Amino acid sequence: MDDDRPDLDLAAIHTTLEVELAEITIASEAAAGERKPVTLDQQSVGRLSRMDALQVQAMANAVEGRRQGREARIKAALKRLDEGEYGTCITCGDDIPAERLELDATTARCVGCSA
């Protein structure tokens, strides 16, 4: 990690991102059962129970999709940290304000390029 940004505690940011990545992995593994296919056997499960199970499965899949998106952003931020490019807009190359990075440590673009 490069220390070109004295306004950022890069080591603390790195630790925070690693912890969040581990939490996402744990949450994803814990919810794996909710994403399993729902059985079609209406003899063992009634129609309404099956519909409820399908709804739970759909919601679990949507949450997992958001988890995977967040995981990808965290990994990209960790890569930028390791390469010494963290805090620099990936579009224009300007510094991203520390306040913006405090709101979301995975932010890759400055306000102007995000719009």
Side-chain angles (χ1 to χ4, degrees):
M1 281 182 286
D2 209 3
D3 200 11
D4 292 341
R5 296 284 307 264
D7 57 333
L8 299 174
D9 184 352
L10 298 179
I13 292 168
H14 193 278
T15 300
T16 300
L17 290 172
E18 287 285 353
V19 167
E20 186 177 354
L21 189 59
E23 289 171 351
I24 286 172
T25 302
I26 291 167
S28 181
E29 290 170 358
E34 294 177 350
R35 297 187 307 273
K36 285 185 189 176
V38 176
T39 60
L40 295 174
D41 183 14
Q42 290 191 8
Q43 299 302 322
S44 64
V45 178
R47 186 170 54 102
L48 292 178
S49 295
R50 185 171 180 279
M51 289 173 58
D52 287 342
L54 287 170
Q55 184 178 19
V56 167
Q57 179 195 38
M59 290 179 357
N61 285 333
V63 169
E64 182 63 18
R66 286 192 298 276
R67 268 193 213 107
Q68 289 176 358
R70 182 68 182 167
E71 179 181 15
R73 289 190 302 276
I74 291 170
K75 287 180 178 179
L78 287 169
K79 183 179 179 193
R80 289 191 304 276
L81 272 164
D82 292 340
E83 294 174 351
E85 298 173 1
Y86 184 81
T88 302
C89 178
I90 63 171
T91 303
C92 69
D94 287 344
D95 282 349
I96 300 171
E99 296 81 15
R100 181 168 173 79
L101 292 167
E102 287 173 9
L103 291 174
D104 182 2
T106 65
T107 299
R109 290 181 176 83
C110 65
V111 175
C113 293
S114 291

